[in-house]
Amino acid sequence: MSDGGTRHIVFDPAALQTVHARRTFLSRLAMAAGATALSPLIMKGYGINEMLAAQAAACNTSEDVNLTDTDILNYALTLEYLESTYYLRAVGTASLPTGATVAGIDPDGSGAPGTVPGLSTTTPPAPASFDVVTFVTAVRDHEISHVLGLQAALSANALARSGFSFDFKNSYDSAANFLSTAVVLEDTGVSAYLGQAGNIDDTAILATAGSILGVEAEHASTFRLLTSQTVTPDNAAFDTPMSSAEVLAAVQATGFITAAPQLPFPK
């Protein structure tokens, strides 16, 4: 909608709540499975120019609004608020990154991190060997660090965390629920960052976004390992980017965001 010459994308928690909408959301995210493929890229039969053209096309998304770098950073911050809150509510076994507090990251939560039944006894499939709770705690800290970094970059222009409220439904009822939701969130993050790669003007911001995208992909691949989703020959060579409108609509479909400020995007 428009308001005084300013275009807005608005979170509507009641929208896209039908079974069809949820299935569409999941099917769209399934297209992002290529983000976690760690096998070598083999472009057999492609010349270098063809390969570069295909890669450029894969990273192209259609935005119906002209996003500034500030818009894009706030868009990224919104997703990082969602992810950091999700993991903070699941584990509280270690101190938070410097500058972060439970109240600062999760002001609408219960005031203390909780636990996920069965997560502490979950083990990765052989031959991988690592403690799952320790891994989730590391992911929590990565997402919190992303929040702190984006807030610092945006300074007074940063959307306030207090303007958001999150409800992750039954995601914490079991380790299986928690891990499957983590896959969805990480896939969304990868597709969102990739979708804005061609829209960022500042090269320093682009480099930072690229480094965050790489970490999100590492998270996604490990969570897929924990849910027995492995890389197969059917994985695409290029990931599927998503525009800001597509990502925000997909996030709405989960019902996880119960309140949020308007995101002002200029025409």
Side-chain angles (χ1 to χ4, degrees):
M1 67 179 183
S2 61
D3 179 15
T6 300
R7 187 177 178 88
H8 298 273
I9 290 178
V10 183
F11 287 101
D12 180 3
L16 301 176
Q17 293 300 300
T18 65
V19 171
H20 172 72
R22 289 179 182 274
R23 286 176 178 170
T24 300
F25 164 67
L26 293 173
S27 66
R28 289 196 65 86
L29 290 181
M31 293 191 299
T36 64
L38 301 181
S39 56
L41 173 62
I42 301 175
M43 299 291 292
K44 191 172 183 178
Y46 279 71
I48 185 64
N49 291 334
E50 292 170 300
M51 184 174 74
L52 291 175
Q55 191 168 21
C59 293
N60 181 51
T61 58
S62 177
E63 289 286 349
D64 65 355
V65 288
N66 182 25
L67 303 184
T68 67
D69 284 357
T70 297
D71 296 329
I72 293 171
L73 288 177
N74 264 318
Y75 164 59
L77 181 59
T78 296
L79 299 178
E80 298 295 349
Y81 279 153
L82 179 71
E83 291 181 317
S84 62
T85 303
Y86 181 66
Y87 298 115
L88 180 63
R89 291 184 185 180
V91 292
T93 57
S95 60
L96 303 181
T98 301
T101 63
V102 172
I105 297 298
D106 188 19
D108 59 298
S110 61
T115 58
V116 177
L119 190 64
S120 63
T121 59
T122 301
T123 57
S129 178
F130 58 88
D131 181 77
V132 173
V133 173
T134 300
F135 164 68
V136 173
T137 303
V139 172
R140 178 203 68 181
D141 289 353
H142 291 167
E143 306 298 3
I144 290 175
S145 294
H146 294 166
V147 166
L148 297 177
L150 290 169
Q151 286 176 330
L154 284 159
S155 187
N157 293 317
L159 290 173
R161 172 62 179 84
S162 58
F164 295 85
S165 293
F166 302 114
D167 180 354
F168 296 102
K169 315 300 180 184
N170 65 343
S171 297
Y172 303 123
D173 288 355
S174 67
N177 285 1
F178 171 78
L179 295 172
S180 63
T181 298
V183 170
V184 171
L185 291 179
E186 298 298 334
D187 278 356
T188 303
V190 170
S191 292
Y193 277 102
L194 180 61
Q196 297 305 319
N199 301 324
I200 298 173
D201 296 321
D202 190 306
T203 54
I205 293 175
L206 179 60
T208 299
S211 68
I212 292 176
L213 187 156
V215 172
E216 300 287 351
E218 291 170 357
H219 294 169
S221 63
T222 305
F223 279 121
R224 285 185 177 278
L225 173 69
L226 292 172
T227 54
S228 300
Q229 301 178 55
T230 56
V231 174
T232 73
D234 294 330
N235 282 106
F238 295 106
D239 189 19
T240 302
M242 295 171 70
S243 70
S244 61
E246 290 174 318
V247 170
L248 293 177
V251 171
Q252 286 182 70
T254 65
F256 292 161
I257 298 179
T258 57
Q262 290 184 329
L263 303 181
F265 292 146
K267 287 184 178 179

